[in-house]
Amino acid sequence: MKKLILLAMAFLATPVNADQVSLGFITSYSPAVYKGLDSNVVPFPMIGYEGEHIFFRGTGAGYALLPQGTPLNIIFRVQYDSRTLKPEDSDHLGIQQLDERNAGVLGGVTFQVITTTGTIEASVGSDIALNHNGLYAELVFKETFRMGAWGFKPEIGYAFNDDKLNNHLYGVSAEEAKRSGFSEFDAGWSGQLFVGVSFYMYLSKNVRLIASTRYSKLDYDLADSPIIKSDTVLSGVIGASYIF
C-alpha cells in the first residue's frame, strides 16, 4: 500500500501566497503494508495551485466556500486514493491468491476552524469511484510555525473508516480464505491514529526545499488482519519546488 497522497499533501500545503503556482519534484518512501511486498521509493513531479477559493495539491483538489484563511470555512475536496494491492507483486503465496484492491477516488467535505493555537479540520466523505462504496471520517489538529525562511508544521489526528473501506484494505473474504490459506477476516468500523510533521526552507524567493514524515498505527482490531505485514507505518517525503 502506498502512502504518497498524505505526504504529498503535507508538502503542497506549506505556506504559499494566493494565486500562485508551484512545480516540484519529490521522492517518497512508504514501507510495505501487505506481506511479501517491498517498500516503495518513488520519485515523481508535483503541481500545486493556491487560489482564493480553489486549490490543487498534487493528486487532490478542492473548493473553499469562503476565501482560504477564513477562520471558519467549509471545503469540498476530491482526492485520488492510491492505496492498492496487486497480488502478483507479492512473493507471499497466500497474498498472491487474494483479489486485487484497486486505487480509487475519495470525495468529501471538510469543516475547518482556524484559531490562534492551530487549525482543526473535521472531514467526512466516501468512495466516489465505486470501488468499495466505503465511508471515512477524519479529525486532525495542526499548526504551522514560521521561522523566517523556514518553518515546520506538526499534526496529530485520527482517521476512521467504515466496514466496507476497511474490508477493501484489510479484509479476507470467505472465497479468498479458501484460495489463500489465510483465515477469513471481517474488518469492522475502525481506524488509525497518526502523527506527522512537515518542514520547509526557502533557498530564495522562489525555490523551496521540503521534507515530511508521518507515523500511523492501526487500531488493535484492524491489526489482527492476517494479510498485513505491520500495524505501524512510518513514511517520508523529500523534495524541492519552484514557486511562480
Side-chain angles (χ1 to χ4, degrees):
M1 182 190 300
K2 299 179 181 178
K3 293 291 181 180
L4 304 183
I5 292 177
L6 297 176
L7 294 164
M9 289 290 288
F11 154 43
L12 291 165
T14 51
V16 177
N17 294 330
D19 297 316
Q20 286 191 338
V21 175
S22 62
L23 298 178
F25 191 82
I26 66 178
T27 298
S28 72
Y29 165 79
S30 54
V33 175
Y34 298 109
K35 293 177 178 178
L37 291 172
D38 296 326
S39 300
N40 291 293
V41 178
V42 183
F44 61 100
M46 300 293 289
I47 300 175
Y49 169 76
E50 298 290 332
E52 185 177 30
H53 294 274
I54 297 174
F55 61 84
F56 297 94
R57 298 171 185 162
T59 55
Y63 176 83
L65 196 59
L66 300 175
Q68 292 198 75
T70 302
L72 295 174
N73 214 338
I74 297 176
I75 303 171
F76 300 94
R77 300 178 184 271
V78 61
Q79 179 70 53
Y80 174 70
D81 184 0
S82 67
R83 294 177 293 183
T84 184
L85 169 62
K86 295 184 180 300
E88 65 273 15
D89 292 340
S90 175
D91 58 15
H92 190 285
L93 295 179
I95 295 292
Q96 293 173 7
Q97 304 306 312
L98 299 180
D99 297 333
E100 184 172 347
R101 318 294 166 98
N102 294 318
V105 180
L106 301 176
V109 59
T110 296
F111 301 89
Q112 184 184 72
V113 180
I114 301 176
T115 72
T116 56
T117 58
T119 299
I120 301 170
E121 292 182 347
S123 303
V124 294
S126 64
D127 165 36
I128 61 177
L130 305 180
N131 281 335
H132 48 74
N133 298 316
L135 303 174
Y136 74 92
E138 183 177 280
L139 180 65
V140 60
F141 174 81
K142 53 191 175 182
E143 173 65 309
T144 300
F145 296 90
R146 298 177 176 86
M147 309 293 178
W150 67 280
F152 63 98
K153 178 192 294 184
E155 66 173 6
I156 183 170
Y158 182 78
F160 189 78
N161 301 331
D162 75 347
D163 55 346
K164 292 181 180 178
L165 179 50
N166 278 333
N167 275 316
H168 175 74
L169 297 174
Y170 312 113
V172 179
S173 69
E175 288 299 320
E176 289 177 313
K178 291 178 182 178
R179 300 195 305 264
S180 66
F182 287 122
S183 299
E184 184 177 352
F185 183 76
D186 185 19
W189 293 63
S190 193
Q192 59 183 304
L193 178 72
F194 61 87
V195 294
V197 61
S198 57
F199 301 88
Y200 71 91
M201 175 180 290
Y202 283 89
L203 299 182
S204 69
K205 181 180 178 180
N206 301 100
V207 179
R208 178 180 63 192
L209 300 179
I210 63 94
S212 179
T213 185
R214 173 176 283 200
Y215 170 85
S216 61
K217 180 175 177 56
L218 293 174
D219 288 345
Y220 70 92
D221 46 350
L222 291 180
D224 290 335
S225 171
I227 66 175
I228 64 172
K229 189 173 184 178
S230 174
D231 63 344
T232 61
V233 172
L234 180 63
S235 304
V237 159
I238 188 170
S241 65
Y242 186 89
I243 302 172
F244 294 88

